[in-house]
Amino acid sequence: MKALPKKTKQNKSISSTNLTKQRKIALEEFCKRVNIKVRNFELLDQAFHHRSVSNEKAHLKNNERLEFLGDSVLGIVTATYLYTTLENPEGDLAKIKSAVVSEKALAPIAVEIGVDKLLVLGHGEEMTGGRTKPAILADAMEAIIGAYYLDAGYKAAEKYVLSFIIPEVNKVLDGGMKDFKTLLQEAVQKNMKICPKYELTGKKGPDHDQTFLMCVHVGDKVFGPEAGKSKKDAEQKVAKVALNALFK
């Protein structure tokens, strides 16, 4: 009877023969910058490949599957940290978690550690400013987590995630978890027995870098418009203006 081939370990290091010397050096410098040790540089490299690359060159893998995995690792690490370090009720923990794992939080971190410079994009995405898009940067952050988890295991990935998540948690706590839209809603309902109504009054800029203008109606009063890089951001800003005008 023919012997079955021996199983190899799934986390065994894979050679980086498909990487150029220059690219591997750039990835090694990235690892030093964020204090992680990687064996499988091809997998890490894949974490920087946006799906637009596969759209133009079908034989190249992209980072979508790694992003899916990394999102879950990011979520469990963050949730565990919040549960074990804070005594806040579930609602507060959910709000903090939502803030620190958001695109708004992850994208600036990505730029700070040089993810934008290592992104591999399709020509069309490159030409439309993909290297600076918050969604692409945040997705790459999650893909890097996924790649590192597969390469080094959960404990190593946990340490890496906490290195940038803990400062973000502290920022939220120091800011008093201010959700101006919720505060305005509660104050208006309590004192005026009505609900504020938000209105999008305009948009500025190209499709890949739009600014949204939002007003809020409170009874017969209108506040704004205030500008934000997303509708939610603009709503928060105009809610703060209305809150200060009506109840401060």
Side-chain angles (χ1 to χ4, degrees):
M1 185 175 177
K2 193 173 181 179
L4 294 172
K6 292 182 178 180
K7 291 183 179 179
T8 56
K9 293 182 179 180
Q10 290 183 351
N11 64 348
K12 186 178 180 181
S13 177
I14 300 174
S15 64
S16 300
T17 53
N18 292 333
L19 294 175
T20 64
K21 183 178 180 181
Q22 184 178 8
R23 180 68 175 178
K24 187 159 186 281
I25 289 173
L27 292 172
E28 288 173 339
E29 289 175 348
F30 172 79
C31 291
K32 290 178 182 177
R33 193 156 57 245
V34 298
N35 195 28
I36 62 175
K37 293 182 179 180
V38 168
R39 294 170 296 176
N40 186 346
F41 281 94
E42 286 188 344
L43 189 62
L44 177 63
D45 186 48
Q46 185 183 333
F48 293 95
H49 281 62
H50 184 251
R51 66 175 177 271
S52 58
V53 174
S54 299
N55 293 339
E56 296 180 8
K57 298 178 181 179
H59 66 285
L60 293 179
K61 293 182 178 180
N62 62 56
N63 65 5
E64 286 189 316
R65 283 168 55 83
L66 290 173
E67 174 204 334
F68 163 77
L69 180 61
D71 176 65
S72 295
V73 176
L74 173 64
I76 190 61
V77 170
T78 304
T80 302
Y81 174 76
L82 294 174
Y83 180 84
T84 56
T85 57
L86 300 177
E87 295 296 330
N88 300 55
E90 182 272 340
D92 286 354
L93 298 181
K95 285 184 179 179
I96 298 171
K97 178 175 178 286
S98 177
V100 301
V101 304
S102 67
E103 177 184 303
K104 184 177 180 181
L106 294 178
I109 298 171
V111 173
E112 184 180 341
I113 63 178
V115 171
D116 55 328
K117 296 179 177 63
L118 288 169
L119 285 173
V120 181
L121 306 169
H123 178 72
E125 192 62 64
E126 186 76 74
M127 290 297 97
T128 56
R131 200 168 293 276
T132 61
K133 290 181 180 177
I136 291 178
L137 290 166
D139 289 348
M141 283 289 290
E142 292 176 343
I144 292 165
I145 295 167
Y148 190 46
Y149 165 73
L150 289 175
D151 185 77
Y154 179 79
K155 280 296 180 184
E158 179 185 47
K159 183 179 179 182
Y160 169 57
V161 169
L162 290 178
S163 71
F164 60 82
I165 282 296
I166 291 176
E168 292 302 309
V169 171
N170 291 337
K171 285 180 188 178
V172 174
L173 295 175
D174 290 343
M177 295 172 58
K178 290 180 179 176
D179 178 351
F180 293 108
K181 193 174 175 183
T182 299
L183 292 174
L184 178 63
Q185 176 93 5
E186 292 173 349
V188 169
Q189 286 182 330
K190 179 180 178 180
N191 294 281
M192 304 170 70
K193 310 303 181 188
I194 57 176
C195 291
K197 296 181 180 179
Y198 294 86
E199 178 188 5
L200 179 65
T201 58
K203 293 185 285 187
K204 299 187 296 184
D207 288 343
H208 68 274
D209 188 26
Q210 286 193 327
T211 297
F212 298 88
L213 301 174
M214 194 72 67
C215 286
V216 62
H217 298 258
V218 182
D220 58 356
K221 296 181 179 179
V222 181
F223 301 92
E226 294 295 322
K229 298 308 291 183
S230 68
K231 291 179 183 178
K232 289 183 179 180
D233 184 36
E235 285 176 346
Q236 286 291 334
K237 288 179 179 178
V238 78
K240 180 180 181 181
V241 170
L243 191 65
N244 287 334
L246 291 170
F247 303 106
K248 294 293 182 181

